[in-house]
Amino acid sequence: MLNLVLFGPPGAGKGTQSNLLIDKYNLVHLSTGDILRGEIKAGTTLGLEAKAIMDRGDLVSDEIVIGMISSKLDNNPNSNGFIFDGFPRTAAQANALDNLLSDKGTSISAMLSLKVEDAELIKRLLARGQDSGRADDKNESIIANRINEYNNKTAPLKDFYAAQKKLSEIEGLGSVEDIAKKLNSVIDNL
Ligand code: B4P
């Protein structure tokens, strides 16, 4: 199985690149952000709980997102592999993911980490906020909080995967196509 963690700060291009990779490598796309936004749209109890947290730019609880990923893995028993987009975001989530995959006799193949400077992230997210309607993209102080959450709780996970010799860092500035080529070349050499 090919199991990829697509990693990077908010706005780095994780969702954008995941959409290209799922077609090329025939993988199942698991985006915790998309799943949570789906729950909000459907008006579920979980969605109501997550909405206020996401609108502030904070991270949703580990318990909720780990439960979501666990059930999605169970629902796709015959997949070629998965792209984890926006998950894991904390040490607890990374440990839980290793355990869930090991229970299924598989593991993470690689973490692909997109590197983009803060000024570009803010520019991209504010631009998306103008037409996406996403509350967390509209306001610069909420975007700053998301970047802060990433630096404090999520960026340290690079060390977790580097220790397993699974980390590849990729420059995330440039055209979507050029970045996709760089990701493809790392994946093809795994
Ligand atoms: P996510 O949905 O994961 O959103 P994101 O970090 O903003 O990244 P996204 O994938 O959407 O953006 P992309 O970089 O592709 O998270 C939202 C919230 O959900 C979190 O703040 C948190 O509250 C919650 N959450 C999600 N997962 C969680 C977890 N595991 N634990 C706890 N909480 C969780 O693209 C951004 C923009 O850049 C787009 O407009 C795109 O068109 C543009 N872009 C992409 N590539 C570009 C390029 N090369 N050049 C120019 N623009 C580009």
Side-chain angles (χ1 to χ4, degrees):
M1 277 177 98
L2 179 64
N3 296 311
L4 304 171
V5 172
L6 203 53
F7 195 77
K14 304 181 293 286
T16 306
Q17 295 296 334
S18 291
N19 286 330
L20 301 175
L21 293 172
I22 48 172
D23 289 338
K24 186 166 167 62
Y25 296 96
N26 192 19
L27 302 172
V28 172
H29 183 198
L30 296 185
S31 158
T32 38
D34 286 351
I35 301 168
L36 288 165
R37 282 184 288 277
E39 296 282 341
I40 293 173
K41 210 167 164 202
T44 63
T45 315
L46 192 160
L48 289 176
E49 197 181 318
K51 185 175 183 331
I53 300 168
M54 291 170 76
D55 284 357
R56 286 197 302 271
D58 291 338
L59 291 184
V60 174
S61 82
D62 288 333
E63 199 190 349
I64 289 179
V65 288
I66 292 167
M68 285 177 353
I69 287 288
S70 173
S71 69
K72 293 283 175 188
L73 290 176
D74 289 341
N75 291 342
N76 290 281
N78 300 317
S79 131
N80 272 346
F82 296 91
I83 293 195
F84 298 95
D85 163 8
F87 180 91
R89 264 176 154 102
T90 63
Q93 293 179 22
N95 283 307
L97 181 59
D98 271 2
N99 292 333
L100 287 170
L101 292 177
S102 148
D103 287 348
K104 296 188 182 306
T106 185
S107 60
I108 290 297
S109 314
M111 170 193 259
L112 309 171
S113 175
L114 293 167
K115 220 170 60 184
V116 179
E117 61 189 36
D118 287 1
E120 170 71 11
L121 299 173
I122 294 166
K123 197 173 98 189
R124 288 183 189 180
L125 294 174
L126 286 174
R128 183 173 66 185
Q130 288 187 340
D131 41 44
S132 73
R134 270 178 64 168
D136 60 345
D137 281 346
K138 283 192 179 145
N139 175 320
E140 207 164 326
S141 77
I142 293 171
I143 293 173
N145 185 37
R146 289 163 65 193
I147 295 174
N148 207 24
E149 286 276 88
Y150 171 80
N151 288 331
N152 290 332
K153 298 177 185 164
T154 307
L157 294 186
K158 281 194 263 183
D159 295 338
F160 179 92
Y161 288 95
Q164 299 183 17
K165 306 217 180 319
K166 292 178 177 172
L167 171 68
S168 286
E169 296 205 75
I170 291 111
E171 179 54 65
L173 261 190
S175 75
V176 169
E177 294 73 24
D178 283 349
I179 296 161
K181 277 188 201 147
K182 288 190 252 178
L183 290 170
N184 293 342
S185 130
V186 174
I187 297 167
D188 293 341
N189 282 310
L190 284 175

